[in-house]
Amino acid sequence: MPKQTKYSGASALTNAFTGIKAWLESGHSNPNLAGLPETLKNHPLMHQVWQGIDPTKVWDCHAHIIGSGDSGTSGAWATPRMDTWRHPILKIQKWFHLNGAALEANSEDTSFVKRLAHLSSEMPAGYKTMLFAFEWAHDEAGKPVKADSIFHIPNDYAAKIVAQHPQHFEWVASIHPYRADAIDALEQAHAQGAVAMKWLASSMNIDPASPKCTKFYQKLQQLNMPIITHVGRESAVPGGDLNFNNPLKARHMLDAGVRIVMAHCASDGFDKDYDNGNQVVTSFELFARMMDMPEYEGLLFGDISATTLFNHSWVLKHILQRDDWHHRLHNGTDYPLPGVFPLITSRQFQREGMLAAEHVPFLQEVRKYNPIMFDFAMKRLLRFEGKQLPTSVFETRGFFSNQRL
Ligand SMILES: [Zn+2]
């Protein structure tokens, strides 16, 4: 728990966030219990959710590494703006991360890895989590700009965590394409076993339509390495030009033959429809249009992480209905998100008829001990109008390990 720093000039906004924090601390936060009880391990619903699925093929394709660099060896960095009430949104986000991932003060780096390795050890053998490195924001000349960055997770650190726990993790590199050494860095990451590339275009200042990306796309295509790219609004890492997250911008990558996984299926936000006079539409509508273009069938994919957020159920329903898309969807947890209690509630899905009443107490109990097991179990149980996510959505290993064959 971060200690509250002194602040002056308390605003209404700050007071509101202080209230939220107090509410969370009074029983609405994650208790982060350790050791899934036998009653849950042997629960009939636990058997049901793992039935007919091969755990050795289940790779969670979207998970974040949280760290402050306090281990002295990780190189992880987070902006000090997260520690002050002058930036209440960042500060509340940090608190969410700390609680959601069970971080301990003064050992954030090591407690993050320790907790996630423990959670992973409770999953059936072979289950893996793909951990994201996270690139600095860069300027137009390809130089890193710390002042514009919210956090940074070096590629080497992500690779190191995998080397320490190869049975639990894979890693995803993050490299800015404007860097003078971008191609060398990409080749190195590939040689070190990175299974994909992660971009958050707005906060890293990457225009996917820029000719400065062309060579990078060519190399990714040669290596058959997919880009997992954020599209639509970004709430967790604010700042930058949100137009860079427009799904239509990804055409440049796709036309270069690069496989693209659009994070969260663009479930949040609005974008300009460049095809129709720049009118503003939901980002999801643009994602859907691209998914329905036959020429992108083998190139464009979506990850379903964060589609279970309390305000995204309309997208989730749409995704469940579109069974013609299901073979192009990949599961991701967006860890530590499933550990952030107020943002995802199984009770809401029960109210909306997507979970049965008897699922809710099981899911609520599992979540107190293991948010990644909870995320998997809930998505396996979700139904809408008789449709559910097929096992292929969870068995993503073939898609990401393909480049190593
Ligand atoms: Zn994410």
Side-chain angles (χ1 to χ4, degrees):
M1 183 76 50
K3 62 178 186 303
Q4 185 171 327
T5 45
K6 266 187 151 176
Y7 63 96
S8 55
S11 66
L13 186 63
T14 306
N15 288 334
F17 279 113
T18 310
I20 292 168
K21 184 164 173 273
W23 177 76
L24 290 169
E25 285 172 348
S26 63
H28 297 91
S29 58
N30 187 343
N32 289 308
L33 304 177
L36 202 60
E38 292 298 316
T39 48
L40 290 174
K41 281 187 201 162
N42 298 321
H43 196 286
L45 285 172
M46 190 65 87
H47 291 295
Q48 186 187 323
V49 298
W50 286 102
Q51 204 166 34
I53 203 157
D54 179 352
T56 68
K57 293 183 183 165
V58 180
W59 284 13
D60 160 10
C61 80
H62 190 135
H64 295 277
I65 298 170
I66 308 292
S68 62
D70 59 4
S71 62
T73 55
S74 69
W77 175 88
T79 177
R81 285 180 284 161
M82 291 193 121
D83 291 320
T84 164
W85 283 103
R86 289 173 62 197
H87 298 279
I89 292 175
L90 284 175
K91 186 168 172 74
I92 265 297
Q93 279 172 350
K94 175 159 183 180
W95 191 88
F96 273 154
H97 282 156
L98 288 168
N99 180 243
L103 299 196
E104 293 158 23
N106 305 320
S107 62
E108 291 182 24
D109 289 355
T110 50
S111 59
F112 172 84
V113 176
K114 198 173 116 202
R115 175 70 176 168
L116 188 52
H118 166 72
L119 300 177
S120 303
S121 72
E122 294 183 328
M123 305 301 279
Y127 176 99
K128 284 190 178 182
T129 300
M130 287 165 50
L131 296 172
F132 288 175
F134 200 86
E135 178 67 286
W136 297 108
H138 279 60
D139 65 15
E140 292 303 310
K143 297 272 185 295
V145 186
K146 202 171 183 175
D148 290 346
S149 303
I150 301 292
F151 67 98
H152 176 236
I153 302 292
N155 289 324
D156 284 346
Y157 180 44
K160 196 172 111 186
I161 296 173
V162 174
Q164 286 165 348
H165 302 276
Q167 73 278 34
H168 295 318
F169 305 129
E170 295 284 336
W171 74 284
V172 174
S174 188
I175 296 163
H176 202 291
Y178 299 177
R179 275 167 58 172
D181 67 342
I183 302 293
D184 291 345
L186 172 52
E187 284 179 332
Q188 194 194 334
H190 182 255
Q192 283 179 275
V195 296
M197 176 65 45
K198 164 66 180 178
W199 280 1
L200 206 174
S202 56
S203 42
M204 293 173 184
N205 187 36
I206 301 169
D207 179 357
S210 167
K212 285 188 276 190
C213 300
T214 306
K215 286 209 170 76
F216 199 77
Y217 295 152
Q218 285 166 352
K219 181 52 75 177
L220 283 166
Q221 195 271 341
Q222 276 172 22
L223 298 171
N224 198 22
M225 186 186 278
I227 303 186
I228 301 167
T229 188
H230 189 92
V231 280
R233 190 166 76 119
E234 171 55 44
S235 313
V237 189
D241 184 347
L242 286 176
N243 289 313
F244 292 165
N245 298 345
N246 188 316
L248 299 182
K249 288 256 187 191
R251 283 176 177 160
H252 297 261
M253 312 174 183
L254 296 162
D255 293 341
V258 181
R259 291 182 298 158
I260 304 297
V261 180
M262 290 194 178
H264 324 309
C265 295
S267 53
D268 200 6
F270 298 86
D271 276 301
K272 286 181 197 153
D273 184 351
Y274 299 133
D275 298 341
N276 293 295
N278 289 349
Q279 61 171 306
V280 175
V281 298
T282 62
S283 306
F284 181 73
E285 183 180 327
L286 301 180
F287 167 76
R289 184 186 304 161
M290 305 264 287
M291 285 290 278
D292 289 338
M293 291 170 73
E295 59 267 45
Y296 295 148
E297 163 71 29
L299 290 173
L300 178 59
F301 303 82
D303 93 37
I304 63 163
S305 68
T307 56
T308 48
L309 277 174
F310 67 95
N311 55 347
H312 291 182
S313 66
W314 66 276
V315 170
L316 190 59
K317 286 173 183 167
H318 202 102
I319 288 167
L320 284 160
Q321 278 173 325
R322 287 295 304 262
D323 46 12
D324 58 325
W325 284 356
H326 286 177
H327 65 291
R328 295 162 68 190
L329 300 180
H330 302 306
N331 183 45
T333 57
D334 211 356
Y335 185 83
L337 198 79
V340 179
F341 267 34
L343 300 183
I344 302 171
T345 83
S346 40
R347 183 71 69 195
Q348 177 199 350
F349 290 115
Q350 187 227 327
R351 278 197 299 267
E352 297 193 32
M354 299 168 77
L355 288 174
E358 64 265 29
H359 296 156
V360 175
F362 166 73
L363 291 170
Q364 286 176 338
E365 274 310 294
V366 169
R367 194 180 191 194
K368 290 177 193 167
Y369 294 90
N370 194 322
I372 59 174
M373 185 73 87
F374 157 78
D375 185 84
F376 176 83
M378 188 168 81
K379 286 170 175 161
R380 291 279 289 151
L381 293 169
L382 282 168
R383 301 276 189 283
F384 185 63
E385 296 182 346
K387 291 187 177 165
Q388 66 181 111
L389 297 165
T391 53
S392 65
V393 172
F394 302 90
E395 294 177 341
T396 66
R397 177 182 179 164
F399 180 85
F400 292 102
S401 59
N402 174 37
Q403 55 176 316
R404 278 192 260 159
L405 299 176

